[in-house]
Each structure stands twice: as structure tokens, then as C-alpha cells.
Amino acid sequence: MVKLSVIVPFYNVQQYAPDTLKSLRANAREDFEFILVDDCSKDETPEILERAARELPGAVHLRHETNGGLATARNTGLDAARGEYLTFLDGDDWLAPGYYARLVAAIEQLGCDFVRTDHVQCTARARTIHRVPHGRRGVVMPPRDVILPADRSTSVDYAYAWAGIYHRRLADQGLLHFTDGLRTAEDRPWIWRLHREAESFAAVGLLGVFYRRGVASSLTQIGDVRQLDFIRAFDQVVRETAQDRDADKLLPKAVRTYCAIISHHLGSIERFEPQVARKLKSLSAAALKRMPQGVLDDALDSMDIQRATRLRRLRRRPVSAEVAA
């Protein structure tokens, strides 16, 4: 039986894919499989992956005929995965040698549904350790117990799918798939659903994923319309959380986080193309009107003056019926 399935989407990452694949080779084991999903790349990535399919032990090479985005590519990998455990890696990141063996050992020792890990963020030559915002390490807990408080960074704000490992039973329960077609913030509905519906998790101080930040082709660096998918993603978070048995406790966190993300994008609106900037404002104004208004009032009251003023001004902006829908 396959012990671990590693799902790795690639899209136009010819510059970085060789390092990613080299690091996978340094993690290979006879009971590990590496599912390499080419999301219809237009550069030399397909040729790099074809070679890897021949040379990398455990490689499974899949290719999309049309580009579907990261969420859809991950789902393709999940549907093909055979492992008892599953994890993710992005096609421009890399791993420390032997990391996956230590990761599997950690979840097997803890016996929980999923484990979250720290990671190293790499921006140019700088290296920074980013830790799961959860202080208790190696302690199995119900994941919904660590969603709050609303006004602090918690585990649902550390949304990186590749910073952890997940038992297959979560996939069988429908908790590991992403919302098809989301081009950004695809991890947000995913991590909230995991924390609301899985039964057990733990955080461990294990480093081994190197996250490459500031890649020019990354959507976080591109101010085009695909960035606005964060609104669809957070609409889903709020909608699903509103149906939870603890909605009265959890919605303030979901709404406040949504507001903080809107404010963040408005604060750097100059990086968007003018047409996209206008759309960002209109869609964000509509999003504020869709939120539970009493919860929104409390969220704005809890924020600093600059962000609260920016969002209150946007809240008063007229919204067309088409945008509001």
C-alpha cells in the first residue's frame, strides 16, 4: 500500500521545477508516490515533468488540457492519490531531504486526522521561519477549539495546504477537496472546513518546506482580476460558517478576517490594473452588504481606526443589483 501521496501542481514554473523535483527525489521512498499535475503549462514545464516521470521514483504524471488553476489541479491529484496519508507541495517550492519520512512519523505517532507544521519562507536570499499560530505542540486537540479568538491570528489564518499532512479518511469524508475554479485564496474555505469538521489535529515544530515568496508569476504578485477570487473564497467561508452549530461563536472570526483581507487589498490598490481596482471596490462594497450586519458592526468596532474608517466608507458605497448578487 502507498503510505504517502504528495500532490504537486505545476504551472509555468520551468525556472523552479528542477529544484522542486530534486527535493522530491531526496524524499523518495518505495511506499511514497509523487503526483505531478501539469496545469496546461505553456513553457518548458511539460518537458521537465516528462523527464521526471521517467526518473523520479514513485512519480505519477498527469496533465490538464486546459488551465484550471491551483484548486482544480490539487483536486485532480487528490482524485488520483492512493496513499494512506496525503500532503501537498507547490511546483515552485522545495523540501529538506528526508522531510516527508519525519512528517509521516509525526502523524503516525500522534494518531490524529491531520498535523500542521511550520515552514521557511524564502524571499530572494532572505529566510524566515513562520510558525503555526498555535502554542501547544504535539498535543492532539479538536480543531474547532483553536479557531478563536476572533481578534488574534489562529490556525485558520495559517491556511497553507502544504504545511501539514492529512489522513485519507478526511478525503473520504469530502474534507480535502478544494473549490474548483478558485484562482486565489483557495486554501481559506478549505482550512475553515477542516477545522470545523475534522475531529482531531496537532501542530508540530517540524521544518522542511521552503516556501518561495515573491515569484513574479505568482498570483499574489499579479494585480489582475484573478486576485478578486478572494471574495468568492471568503463568501464561502462566511456562508458555510453561518450554518455551523457554533455559528454565533465562529462568525465574528470569519467576518473580521474577511474585513481585514478586504482592507489589505484596498490598502495596496495601486498594484491593480485600473479596471480591476474599480471592480475590487464595487465587489468589496457588495461583500460588506452580504455579511451579517450585526456581526459586521462588532467587527468594525474591534478594528483600528484606519481600517475601520476605510471599510465604513466602502460600506456606504452604492452597489448595483447585479454586483450585489
Side-chain angles (χ1 to χ4, degrees):
M1 182 177 178
V2 176
K3 177 64 71 173
L4 177 68
S5 296
V6 184
I7 296 153
V8 196
F10 294 82
Y11 179 65
N12 289 352
V13 287
Q14 63 180 24
Q15 181 180 353
Y16 307 111
D19 288 340
T20 304
L21 294 163
K22 181 180 179 181
S23 75
L24 289 175
R25 192 172 297 112
N27 277 268
R29 210 169 79 176
E30 62 181 10
D31 55 350
F32 289 0
E33 67 175 3
F34 304 115
I35 303 176
L36 315 176
V37 184
D38 177 17
D39 195 21
C40 197
S41 297
K42 303 300 183 185
D43 62 359
E44 294 181 16
T45 300
E47 289 76 16
I48 295 170
L49 295 182
E50 286 170 7
R51 288 197 300 273
R54 298 189 298 269
E55 299 170 1
L56 174 63
V60 178
H61 183 204
L62 306 175
R63 176 168 170 79
H64 285 171
E65 294 304 317
T66 58
N67 177 260
L70 182 58
T72 301
R74 284 176 174 168
N75 288 343
T76 294
L78 283 168
D79 291 340
R82 300 174 295 150
E84 180 181 357
Y85 300 102
L86 304 100
T87 190
F88 303 91
L89 185 68
D90 287 351
D92 51 6
D93 298 336
W94 76 97
L95 306 161
Y99 169 68
Y100 282 147
R102 296 192 295 274
L103 189 59
V104 168
I107 194 169
E108 290 194 318
Q109 179 180 3
L110 291 163
C112 51
D113 284 342
F114 67 99
V115 166
R116 303 288 284 155
T117 68
D118 304 331
H119 72 275
V120 181
Q121 179 175 297
C122 306
T123 307
R125 294 180 178 273
R127 301 288 186 269
T128 310
I129 294 175
H130 286 247
R131 301 197 182 278
V132 185
H134 176 64
R136 302 181 68 182
R137 298 304 172 102
V139 178
V140 177
M141 297 181 63
R144 71 166 45 234
D145 287 0
V146 303
I147 294 174
L148 300 177
D151 60 349
R152 288 218 317 261
S153 181
T154 70
S155 291
V156 291
D157 302 306
Y158 187 82
Y160 312 106
W162 35 258
I165 185 170
Y166 315 91
H167 196 283
R168 165 160 291 282
R169 59 179 168 263
L170 295 176
D172 295 340
Q173 294 164 14
L175 299 184
L176 286 188
H177 280 72
F178 297 80
T179 302
D180 265 321
L182 277 182
R183 298 283 178 163
T184 192
E186 66 289 323
D187 291 344
R188 296 295 188 143
W190 177 88
I191 194 71
W192 270 83
R193 186 173 65 243
L194 262 186
H195 275 272
R196 286 193 314 263
E197 300 186 28
E199 294 182 1
S200 59
F201 101 111
V204 298
L206 181 62
L207 288 172
V209 178
F210 293 82
Y211 166 47
R212 201 186 300 270
R213 188 71 188 270
V215 175
S217 60
S218 170
L219 278 186
T220 58
Q221 304 297 310
I222 299 173
D224 72 11
V225 71
R226 293 172 293 178
Q227 273 278 30
L228 303 188
D229 269 9
F230 84 89
I231 291 175
R232 290 176 52 210
F234 275 96
D235 275 353
Q236 182 180 344
V237 170
V238 171
R239 183 173 64 252
E240 293 177 352
T241 303
Q243 298 169 358
D244 188 88
R245 65 179 185 268
D246 294 322
D248 59 330
K249 297 178 182 178
L250 300 182
L251 264 176
K253 170 70 171 177
V255 168
R256 194 180 193 279
T257 304
Y258 197 173
C259 288
I261 297 295
I262 290 173
S263 179
H264 167 75
H265 284 295
L266 292 173
S268 57
I269 200 167
E270 68 281 349
R271 68 191 177 88
F272 289 95
E273 301 160 3
Q275 182 179 358
V276 178
R278 290 191 294 272
K279 191 169 184 179
L280 169 63
K281 288 182 178 179
S282 62
L283 290 178
S284 297
L288 291 172
K289 290 177 169 55
R290 286 193 298 272
M291 295 178 197
Q293 295 301 293
V295 179
L296 176 58
D297 288 336
D298 292 342
L300 296 178
D301 288 344
S302 73
M303 300 179 86
D304 61 84
I305 292 295
Q306 182 181 21
R307 289 192 296 175
T309 300
R310 177 186 290 152
L311 292 167
R312 288 191 175 106
R313 187 182 303 122
L314 186 67
R315 190 183 187 185
R316 295 191 294 269
R317 181 187 176 110
V319 175
S320 69
E322 180 182 1
V323 173

